[in-house]
DNA sequence: AATCCAGCAAGCACGCTTGATTGTTTCTTC
DNA sequence: GAAGAAACAATCAAGCGTGCTTGCTGGATT
C-alpha cells in the first residue's frame, strides 16, 4: 500500500521530469518550432504516446517547460550567492547568460514575441526572474541601491550581460567576453564606490 | 533596345524589392517559421507564384532577405553620423537596437542558431556590421581606441545596447531604457576622458 | 505585324506535425 | 488471485507549407 514508495507514481514523475528536461534541451538545440513533440519524446527516450499522456497537447507541454526553465534559472541564480569581489560577481552574473538554460530562454522569448498564447506566461516569469537577478546583483556587488544612479548602473550591467549572451548564440565569444567583463568590472568598482 | 527605360524590368525590380521589404516586415512580426512564402507574398501584394518566380525556393528568398537586412542596418548606422555629445551618441547607438530592423535581425539570429544553412551567412554579415558599428561608436563618442580598455568599454556599451534591444522585444521598455542610457552616458563620460 | 519570352497566376502532390483513438502492459486494491 | 485503473505504445485522420507544373498576359525583338 502507500506506506512505502509507490513505484508507479515514481516512474510517472520520472518520465514527466525527463520530458521537461528534454523539452529544455531541444529548445536550446532545435528552437521553438524545431522542438516537436516527437523530437522531445525521442530525446527523452519515451514514446510519443507517453508524452501525450502527460501533456495532452503541445501547448501543455511547453507551458510546463516555460515554468521549468524559470525554476531552473532561479536555482542557477541562487547558486551564485557567495561570490565575492567585483570581478567575480560580474563574471558570475554574465555566466548566467551563457549556457543551455539561457539559450532555451532566448528561444522562448523570441517564440513568445510571435505566439500570442505564449507571450503572457513568458513575460510574467521573465519579470520575476529579472527582479530576482537584480537583487542578487546588488548583493554580489555590494551595491547600495539608495544611491542615485546605482539602480540604473546595475540594470545596464545586466543588460550588457544579456547582450553578451546574445552575441554568444552564434559564435563562441568567450575570449572577447572575458576582456569586456574585466574592463567593466574595474569601471563598476570605480562607479559603485 | 535598352536605350530608354525598360518598364518590364522596372516592374520586375519593384516586385522583387517589395518582396524583400515584405520579408523583413514579416520576419519582425511573425518570426522565422511564421514567415511563410505565402504570408510574405500576400503581405507584398503579389501572388505566391510571383514570389516563387523571383526566388525559386524559400531559402533563396531569405538568403536575399538576410543581405537586405544587413544593408538596411548598415544604412541606418551611417545615418547616425553627426550625432555629438556622449548622451546623444549613446542614445542613438541604443536606438539601433530598437525598431523593426533589429527585430528582424534578432529573429534571423535565433533562426540561424538552428538552421545550419542559414548560420554562416548570418554570422558573416553580423561580424561585418559589428565592426562597422564599433567604428561608428568610437567616432560618435570621440573615443581613442589606442588607449587601453577603451575598446572593451565601447564593446560593452554595444553589448548593453543589444541587451536593451532584447529586453524591448516582449515589452515596451522605453522608460527604463532612457534612464539606463543617461546613467551609462555619464559613466562613459568619466571613463573615456 | 508576327514571334518570342519573361513575369505572373492557379492548381496539384508530397511530406510533416498535430491531435485523437484504440490496444497493451503494469501496478494497485479488494 | 482477480478486477480495476493508470501508464504507455501504435495507428489514423486532418491541416498546412513547400516545391513543381501548367497556362495565360504583356512587353521586347526582328
Amino acid at each position: 500500500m502507500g506506506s512505502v514508495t509507490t513505484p508507479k507514481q515514481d516512474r510517472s514523475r520520472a518520465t514527466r521530469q525527463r520530458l521537461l528536461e528534454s523539452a529544455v534541451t531541444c529548445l536550446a538545440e532545435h528552437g521553438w518550432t524545431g522542438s516537436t513533440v516527437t523530437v522531445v519524446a525521442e530525446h527523452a527516450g519515451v514514446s510519443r504516446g507517453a508524452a501525450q499522456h502527460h501533456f495532452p497537447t503541445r501547448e501543455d507541454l511547453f507551458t510546463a517547460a516555460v515554468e521549468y526553465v524559470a525554476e531552473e534559472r532561479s536555482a542557477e541564480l541562487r547558486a551564485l550567492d557567495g561570490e565575492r569581489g567585483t570581478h567575480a560577481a560580474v563574471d558570475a552574473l554574465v555566466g548566467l547568460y551563457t549556457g543551455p538554460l539561457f539559450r532555451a530562454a532566448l528561444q522562448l522569448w523570441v517564440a513568445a514575441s510571435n505566439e500570442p498564447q505564449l507571450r503572457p506566461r513568458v513575460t510574467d516569469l521573465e519579470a520575476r526572474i529579472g527582479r530576482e537577478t537584480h537583487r542578487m546583483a546588488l548583493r554580489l556587488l555590494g551595491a547600495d541601491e539608495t544611491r542615485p544612479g546605482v539602480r540604473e548602473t546595475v540594470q545596464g550591467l545586466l543588460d550588457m550581460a544579456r547582450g553578451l549572451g546574445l552575441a554568444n548564440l552564434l559564435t563562441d565569444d568567450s575570449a572577447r567576453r572575458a576582456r569586456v567583463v574585466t574592463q567593466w568590472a574595474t569601471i563598476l568598482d570605480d562607479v559603485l564606490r
Side-chain angles (χ1 to χ4, degrees), chain A:
Chain A
M1 52 177 65
S3 64
V4 288
T5 60
T6 52
K8 193 63 161 298
Q9 298 276 352
D10 281 359
R11 193 159 64 108
S12 180
R13 294 175 77 101
T15 46
R16 188 189 154 92
Q17 182 76 4
R18 287 236 303 277
L19 280 170
L20 288 178
E21 290 170 2
S22 174
V24 173
T25 307
C26 292
L27 226 42
E29 290 180 0
H30 309 299
W32 173 255
T33 47
S35 294
T36 181
V37 291
T38 307
V39 170
V40 173
E42 283 182 356
H43 183 92
V46 305
S47 80
R48 208 182 85 101
Q52 206 137 18
H53 175 79
H54 285 278
F55 306 97
T57 134
R58 188 184 122 103
E59 187 179 347
D60 293 332
L61 170 59
F62 279 98
T63 50
V66 168
E67 296 179 12
Y68 184 73
V69 169
E71 290 170 12
E72 290 291 301
R73 291 221 302 152
S74 185
E76 201 176 38
L77 176 64
R78 284 191 297 272
L80 256 55
D81 207 349
E83 295 285 349
R84 291 294 142 175
T86 307
H87 186 281
V90 174
D91 197 50
L93 288 170
V94 169
L96 287 175
Y97 297 88
T98 64
L101 237 64
F102 174 74
R103 296 178 86 92
L106 182 53
Q107 304 280 349
L108 284 176
W109 295 347
V110 174
S113 75
N114 304 315
E115 314 274 330
Q117 54 211 342
L118 197 62
R119 176 187 280 262
R121 300 177 187 274
V122 172
T123 52
D124 286 359
L125 289 172
E126 186 54 32
R128 217 195 59 196
I129 291 192
R131 284 192 295 272
E132 279 185 33
T133 310
H134 188 82
R135 263 198 299 274
M136 181 60 78
L138 288 171
R139 190 164 164 178
L140 294 183
L141 293 168
D144 176 16
E145 198 177 19
T146 62
R147 286 177 50 192
V150 167
R151 182 179 190 81
E152 287 75 17
T153 303
V154 173
Q155 282 188 3
L157 170 67
L158 293 179
D159 286 315
M160 189 190 77
R162 249 197 301 273
L164 283 169
L166 184 53
N168 198 53
L169 180 65
L170 290 177
T171 60
D172 181 13
D173 211 34
S174 318
R176 185 186 75 91
R177 186 169 61 245
R179 287 195 292 272
V180 173
V181 164
T182 57
Q183 174 62 15
W184 276 91
T186 67
I187 292 178
L188 287 174
D189 241 346
D190 290 348
V191 172
L192 295 177
R193 246 155 289 280

